[in-house]
Amino acid sequence: MIDRIGEVIEASTTRFRAQREELDNPPAFGSFVKVPSGPDITSYAIVYNVYETSIDASRRPMAMGLTEEELKAQQPQIFEMIRLEFEAAIVGFKDQGGAVKAYLPPWPPRIHAFVGACGPEEVISLTEDLDFIRAINALPGLPTDELIAAAVRVAYQNRDCDAEFLVKAGQEIAIMLKEEYERARSILRRVGHVG
Amino acid sequence: MSDKAADRRILGQITKGSLISGLQAKLSDNVDIEDVRIGTFAVVDGDRNRFFSLLKDVSLASTNEDILLTPPTDDFDRRVHLGVSTYYELSLQPMLVAEKDAPGATPLPSTTVPPHFSTVFEATPEDVEQVFGKVDEFHPSVGSPIFMNPTIPVCLDLRKLAMRSNALFGRSGCGKSVLARIILGYLMQTDAFVNLVFDMHNEFGWTATSEEGGSVDSLRKLLGQRVAIFTLDPKSPLYGHGQAYDFEVQVPLNEIRCSDMELLGAELALSQAQRETMYKLEERWGEKTWLARFLKLEPQEIEGAAEELGATNVETLKVLSRKLGRFKKLPFLKEAVSDDTVRRIRDYIGAGKHVVIQFGRYNDLLTYILVANILTRRLHEDYARDTDAARAEGREGPTPLIITIEEAHKFLDPSVAGSTVFGAIAREARKYRLVLFLIDQRPSGIDDEILSQVGTRIVGKLDDERDIDAALSGRPNQGTLKVLVNNMVERQFLLTGYALPMPVVIDAKEYGSFCKEMQATGGRVRGELERRKLELTGDDELEL
Ligand SMILES: Nc1ncnc2c1ncn2[C@@H]1O[C@H](COP(=O)(O)OP(=O)(O)OP(=O)(O)O)[C@@H](O)[C@H]1O
Ligand SMILES: [Mg+2]
């Protein structure tokens, strides 16, 4: 059973949008999430966008000049009007046999499917094959450089900060971008900045 | 035989190359570049053939120019780019090739290159053996390939060595004399060749001094009576305490020719006029008597002599008298000698013994050049006569003789090489069963034509570019060999030429272990020697 962090409200083969019921603890940029996509298939995706919007599209929120604490005390209804949504790009899936693949699943998730956070084992098995970096790089219209760096950092932290993994991932990036040395360097700088 | 690829340490994979310029390989990711060393003996496994090669260069390469403009700054960056954007390239020179599934086959010169992505391995002891053979009496080990276990032998083919003149080059202190002792010791032990050593620094007799100042056993101690010691300085402290010399060398003045003086040109600083005067003396007073007579002239007699010679400058004669006067101080130069040294040398070598001529305290160049030249000239005459006679009668000629000289460039520089006996011996190759073993620090001083006659070259550390070029002149793959020589240290030698299937850089055998080897075989050898001596002479005339 998925430990729910959201529910799909819009889906396509490559990405989906999900809504979260509470405003606290939004999923982090670059974190790995999972969602069922068809019979016995779990898709894995990387969060690339998180945003808060007004429930009522016709009413724009206004600046109030109060701190969050003051707002909560004086205008609690405001928070009822806000909802939290996030978008994730699908980078792989677990097939019926339990094998993890770093490419797109045959079907998108269904609307109203529950989205869960991936645990360390899932992150590790999904990122074992460094092709996940290429999968991210191939996503159109996204801040892929930032996303690659963030995903690599998450995968690294889920591996108890294995420096060897970080170097290998860095090399994968360098090979992938061998024609774009400066771009590779800038991603690597962001990858290298881990605690 | 550990021939399975799994037992071998992989160095890299071939990426490009040619037979002439050599092969390029990408260094394996798991090999530390700082462990890769030039001169390493490596093999490349093609599909069917194994290529025996020498590692001649290591270089840094990159897949992308940009990385060179903005190199990685931190450690993470550097580690990422290593092996991805940057890599290391090995340059190898293939030398010999043998079929892989014919273990023990004699490798032949390489006529092609291995295919792309062939694996490069570090050579194993089996590879060294396949190329350089097994140790036996005529193939002694003189060292081991550098960076390999010192017990792995590189064998020198003594029969081939003795067929041509050879040279051992290297700067002072690089271990020439020690290696020469080792090689001569093995040559002597075979009893197939005889040796005459002009031992300028008294290192080839009973003992030699080691770097630490101690004394180590030398040829006489190791080989016993098969080595005879001739000396110019019987009063030298070298002898005594049971370490006797066998014969006192005396050189009769009547054997010194004007042409011998040519070799001493630099030592005596003779001017053209002085040399012409000397020839005039020889012509007027006779080849055999001129020097004795001239040395006996009192100062007041010089003017009279100048008149007698006619058109001779008195001053020139005076200077010449002063310069040649140095000979009067050499006690072994005599008007009349009690025994003929060359005959004695012939007796000993005729009985299969080796002769070491020691100079004692007279180890200056003047004496050395003069004596070596005079004795060798007569020996050469003898050998030429005997060889020709033997040939005419269909007999085998005299035992092949190897003459070792140090400071070889003094005997073979281009201005004298054409006229001296040493030049003649080197050029005649083995016609008269005489070859040279040249030891020298300054190969650039030796005439090119002589160098081209040298069969096997043993090259130690040399500092001067010209010396390195001369030492390797005319060798195939000279560029590669030069890199190797540039990277050697003391006691390492490049062996190349006739007595070796391919060039190799060795760590010379530790002298102590050579001595132990000789002592271990000494008993057998001495017994054998007694037997042969009886066979050869039939009497005990040579009992010493
Ligand atoms: N193979 C060796 N084993 C042990 N010691 C060695 C060896 N080679 C050299 N040495 C040490 O190095 C010292 C110098 O070597 P050696 O006398 O052979 O130099 P060299 O090249 O003949 O120098 P030079 O040109 O001055 O005569 C030796 O006295 C010896 O102590
Ligand atoms: Mg020496």
Side-chain angles (χ1 to χ4, degrees):
Chain A
M1 194 47 222
I2 281 179
D3 177 14
R4 173 153 45 118
I5 59 165
E7 183 177 330
V8 175
I9 55 168
E10 219 178 289
S12 72
T13 300
T14 56
R15 13 186 125 171
F16 61 83
R17 174 195 285 250
Q19 200 174 70
R20 186 165 165 76
E21 283 141 48
E22 44 185 306
L23 294 179
D24 295 335
N25 300 320
F29 177 75
S31 63
F32 291 84
V33 296
K34 57 184 174 183
V35 59
S37 306
D40 292 328
I41 289 183
T42 304
S43 290
Y44 296 115
I46 293 178
V47 175
Y48 67 83
N49 201 5
V50 182
Y51 49 99
E52 291 180 11
T53 59
S54 168
I55 289 177
D56 185 347
S58 63
R59 283 182 50 183
R60 269 163 53 92
M62 287 188 314
M64 308 288 286
L66 297 172
T67 66
E68 194 174 328
E69 283 73 35
E70 290 165 338
L71 273 178
K72 276 184 179 152
Q74 298 169 24
Q75 310 269 347
Q77 79 289 350
I78 282 186
F79 293 96
E80 308 285 306
M81 307 296 290
I82 301 175
R83 65 186 172 193
L84 189 136
E85 288 180 8
F86 59 89
E87 290 176 306
I90 298 170
V91 293
F93 66 102
K94 183 158 75 184
D95 69 13
Q96 287 95 335
V100 174
K101 318 274 181 172
Y103 51 87
L104 290 177
W107 305 282
R110 303 290 302 274
I111 289 191
H112 299 304
F114 290 150
V115 181
C118 287
E121 277 104 81
E122 284 163 310
V123 173
I124 290 171
S125 64
L126 179 64
T127 54
E128 205 57 63
D129 184 348
L130 292 171
D131 267 354
F132 81 94
I133 294 170
R134 289 173 192 272
I136 299 173
N137 188 49
L139 296 169
L142 294 182
T144 45
D145 291 5
E146 289 289 356
L147 206 51
I148 290 170
V152 168
R153 283 197 304 261
V154 169
Y156 163 77
Q157 269 140 7
N158 277 286
R159 278 182 166 75
D160 293 333
C161 302
D162 173 8
E164 209 45 52
F165 169 80
L166 205 61
V167 170
K168 285 226 179 67
Q171 290 179 332
E172 189 68 23
I173 294 168
I175 292 171
M176 181 175 77
L177 299 177
K178 65 173 180 295
E179 305 298 331
E180 296 171 84
Y181 177 69
E182 279 312 325
R183 194 178 146 213
R185 283 293 295 278
S186 92
I187 299 178
L188 287 172
R189 265 196 300 277
R190 283 172 264 186
V191 167
H193 287 167
V194 282
Chain B
M1 192 149 182
S2 67
D3 213 311
K4 281 165 256 107
D7 294 342
R8 298 173 157 265
R9 195 164 100 98
I10 295 177
L11 291 176
Q13 269 185 308
I14 297 296
T15 50
K16 59 185 174 199
S18 79
L19 188 57
I20 291 171
S21 62
L23 305 171
Q24 304 287 313
K26 179 177 181 290
L27 185 74
S28 288
D29 291 341
N30 52 2
V31 178
D32 186 342
I33 183 71
E34 296 183 23
D35 287 341
V36 172
R37 289 163 297 191
I38 282 182
T40 296
F41 184 26
V43 298
V44 183
D45 271 3
D47 289 338
R48 281 174 293 116
N49 294 305
R50 175 163 292 163
F51 295 76
F52 299 91
S53 316
L54 286 176
L55 181 64
K56 63 175 173 179
D57 202 5
V58 207
S59 49
L60 306 174
S62 64
T63 53
N64 189 327
E65 287 290 300
D66 296 340
I67 193 167
L68 307 180
L69 295 173
T70 41
T73 42
D74 59 39
D75 193 47
F76 170 69
D77 230 10
R78 209 159 31 236
R79 284 182 63 195
V80 164
H81 286 292
L82 277 182
V84 174
S85 316
T86 63
Y87 58 101
Y88 300 105
E89 225 172 30
L90 305 176
S91 301
L92 299 146
Q93 186 64 50
M95 298 279 179
L96 299 176
V97 62
E99 272 185 40
K100 274 200 295 191
D101 41 7
T106 307
L108 298 170
S110 184
T111 51
T112 183
V113 292
H116 268 108
F117 314 127
S118 297
T119 313
V120 183
F121 298 96
E122 229 169 48
T124 61
E126 287 77 18
D127 296 325
V128 179
E129 185 182 305
Q130 191 176 357
V131 172
F132 296 101
K134 280 197 173 66
V135 175
D136 66 27
E137 197 190 3
F138 281 92
H139 300 86
S141 151
V142 292
S144 54
I146 50 172
F147 316 127
M148 292 185 85
N149 187 317
T151 58
I152 299 172
V154 169
C155 306
L156 206 54
D157 186 331
L158 294 184
R159 288 193 191 89
K160 284 190 167 174
L161 189 75
M163 270 191 216
R164 307 264 299 265
S165 286
N166 304 299
L168 171 47
F169 298 130
R171 74 164 189 209
S172 180
C174 77
K176 294 187 298 298
S177 297
V178 175
L179 185 59
R181 278 206 298 277
I182 293 176
I183 295 173
L184 287 171
Y186 287 129
L187 277 168
M188 291 175 175
Q189 205 183 24
T190 64
D191 280 334
F193 327 100
V194 281
N195 285 273
L196 172 64
V197 181
F198 288 103
D199 182 9
M200 182 165 183
H201 303 293
N202 310 308
E203 305 167 289
F204 296 91
W206 284 98
T207 56
T209 38
S210 77
E211 213 160 35
E212 298 78 36
S215 134
V216 293
D217 290 356
S218 191
L219 299 173
R220 172 63 184 259
K221 262 214 164 138
L222 296 170
L223 287 137
Q225 302 226 331
R226 29 190 2 196
V227 177
I229 296 191
F230 281 34
T231 184
L232 275 86
D233 184 13
K235 297 202 178 68
S236 155
L238 288 168
Y239 314 112
H241 319 99
Q243 305 191 343
Y245 59 88
D246 299 295
F247 182 80
E248 178 184 343
V249 176
Q250 294 182 338
V251 178
L253 286 174
N254 64 23
E255 284 192 15
I256 304 182
R257 307 267 180 280
C258 268
S259 55
D260 296 325
M261 298 297 179
E262 292 281 348
L263 273 182
L264 301 174
E267 270 56 46
L268 292 171
L270 293 178
S271 69
Q272 183 58 27
Q274 290 156 9
R275 278 161 56 202
E276 279 166 15
T277 306
M278 218 166 54
Y279 276 104
K280 205 178 275 174
L281 282 169
E282 190 181 42
E283 191 188 301
R284 291 288 170 85
W285 291 357
E287 205 179 50
K288 294 197 181 247
T289 47
W290 73 276
L291 186 58
R293 196 170 150 193
F294 185 60
L295 291 181
K296 269 190 286 191
L297 281 187
E298 298 295 333
Q300 65 273 20
E301 295 171 321
I302 289 193
E303 265 177 56
E307 245 163 68
E308 188 199 327
L309 291 171
T312 301
N313 187 313
V314 179
E315 285 313 308
T316 309
L317 209 55
K318 276 186 185 161
V319 177
L320 190 62
S321 162
R322 208 180 57 236
K323 285 184 175 171
L324 299 191
R326 280 176 72 180
F327 292 143
K328 288 195 272 195
K329 299 195 197 89
L330 303 175
F332 50 86
L333 286 183
K334 303 240 190 258
E335 245 190 290
V337 297
S338 47
D339 200 349
D340 179 359
T341 304
V342 174
R343 259 209 52 209
R344 282 317 209 158
I345 295 175
R346 290 296 315 268
D347 287 344
Y348 277 92
I349 61 185
K353 297 201 177 197
H354 312 279
V355 177
V356 173
I357 299 187
Q358 299 204 292
F359 286 72
R361 289 161 298 174
Y362 305 106
N363 60 353
D364 56 293
L365 273 169
L366 181 84
T367 306
Y368 188 70
I369 297 170
L370 184 71
V371 172
N373 191 48
I374 291 173
L375 297 181
T376 306
R377 191 182 58 224
R378 275 204 45 210
L379 264 172
H380 179 244
E381 284 163 14
D382 276 20
Y383 255 72
R385 192 190 55 231
D386 290 2
T387 314
D388 283 342
R391 217 165 268 149
E393 293 165 27
R395 284 188 285 118
E396 209 187 323
T399 322
L401 174 63
I402 301 165
I403 299 179
T404 300
I405 49 165
E406 300 195 62
E407 304 288 348
H409 69 274
K410 294 280 178 188
F411 300 89
L412 294 166
D413 86 53
S415 66
V416 299
S419 56
T420 70
V421 60
F422 292 100
I425 295 175
R427 276 190 307 271
E428 285 158 5
R430 221 169 40 119
K431 189 167 158 209
Y432 295 128
R433 305 173 78 88
L434 260 180
V435 296
L436 300 175
F437 185 25
L438 311 172
I439 303 180
D440 205 352
Q441 314 186 11
R442 269 207 51 220
S444 62
I446 297 178
D447 185 53
D448 286 346
E449 197 207 329
I450 303 293
L451 281 176
S452 72
Q453 299 291 331
V454 169
T456 302
R457 302 185 201 192
I458 303 172
V459 184
K461 190 168 177 54
L462 284 167
D463 298 324
D464 193 314
E465 193 80 6
R466 282 168 308 172
D467 285 328
I468 299 178
D469 286 339
L472 302 173
S473 66
R475 301 295 318 156
N477 297 313
Q478 201 177 332
T480 304
L481 301 184
K482 202 169 156 180
V483 175
L484 302 185
V485 171
N486 271 318
N487 283 281
M488 293 190 317
V489 298
E490 257 84 50
R491 298 198 205 181
Q492 291 184 339
F493 291 88
L494 169 74
L495 312 182
T496 169
Y498 197 53
L500 294 132
M502 69 176 256
V504 62
V505 181
I506 60 160
D507 285 313
K509 179 173 274 187
E510 177 58 41
Y511 190 66
S513 63
F514 163 75
C515 290
K516 282 205 195 82
E517 248 176 75
M518 293 306 256
Q519 281 149 2
T521 54
R524 174 187 72 72
V525 160
R526 264 197 286 279
E528 171 79 352
L529 181 75
E530 297 306 320
R531 191 181 59 70
R532 287 201 198 189
K533 193 176 71 185
L534 287 175
E535 270 173 18
L536 283 165
T537 60
D539 61 30
D540 60 358
E541 192 202 347
L542 287 164
E543 202 61 72
L544 299 153

